[in-house]
Amino acid sequence: MGKMNRVTISVPHGTDLNFRKKAAIKFAFKRGWYGRAVQEAMQLWINIQSASEDGISEENKEYLWKSFQEHMKIESDDPEEILDCIAEFFTSEVKVAEKIEYEMNDNEVTVKKEGSLGPFVSQLVTKKGDCIIFNCPVKIIMDAALKDLTGKKYAVRSEVHTLFSPKAIKESNI
């Protein structure tokens, strides 16, 4: 298991009590239950802080890519052919956007899309603070596909993120 550190922290009473209740249920008061719960919570925090800039973990990107991969029939490891195939799939089959273009410069890809958002909204929502971001599904799939099929990491970015804040939604009566 490796070297262990003893840590002393101060947290609000209510937070600690709620955490202990949940941890006690999960770990059934077995020896080391509280330490395991804190370790799990710390690892979860690290994973969240380590998520990519779009807020979606590499594991979730890979899962999303794998769920679409069988429908795309990509038989190339050429990055531009991969991106062309994905863009075509998302405009003609899934209809996430009316038009999808990308710009590739070395290992950086910028996705530009025009048109509708598509039916996969629930998988594409990221909450940052009190704002909700709808991520570009094409960007996410392109990112995971390039990594999987070429073995290289690309910096794939979307030209625009649709950002909603609770204040804006309340003011517009959505």
Side-chain angles (χ1 to χ4, degrees), residues 83-164:
L83 297 177
D84 286 341
C85 186
I86 293 169
E88 173 65 24
F89 179 80
F90 276 98
T91 54
S92 63
E93 300 292 323
V94 181
K95 299 183 184 347
V96 167
E98 292 171 13
K99 183 178 179 182
I100 297 172
E101 296 177 335
Y102 64 88
E103 222 174 89
M104 189 168 194
N105 186 0
D106 295 322
N107 280 12
E108 291 198 13
V109 180
T110 302
V111 179
K112 303 171 190 172
K113 66 182 184 72
E114 297 174 13
S116 64
L117 191 58
F120 299 100
V121 172
S122 64
Q123 298 176 33
L124 306 171
V125 174
T126 302
K127 187 172 186 305
K128 289 194 177 183
D130 60 354
C131 292
I132 298 169
I133 298 171
F134 289 106
N135 295 297
C136 173
V138 180
K139 178 191 96 56
I140 294 165
I141 298 293
M142 285 180 170
D143 187 18
L146 287 170
K147 183 178 176 186
D148 182 45
L149 298 175
T150 68
K152 297 178 184 174
K153 180 71 178 151
Y154 288 80
V156 182
R157 292 175 175 59
S158 181
E159 197 172 63
V160 178
H161 287 294
T162 307
L163 182 66
F164 297 93

Side-chain angles (χ1 to χ4, degrees), residues 61-90:
K61 285 182 185 181
E62 289 171 23
Y63 174 78
L64 194 56
W65 157 237
K66 294 296 180 192
S67 66
F68 283 104
Q69 184 179 17
E70 64 189 57
H71 304 288
M72 289 190 205
K73 312 289 187 274
I74 299 174
E75 298 177 1
S76 174
D77 64 354
D78 177 56
E80 290 194 31
E81 288 180 27
I82 293 168
L83 297 177
D84 286 341
C85 186
I86 293 169
E88 173 65 24
F89 179 80
F90 276 98

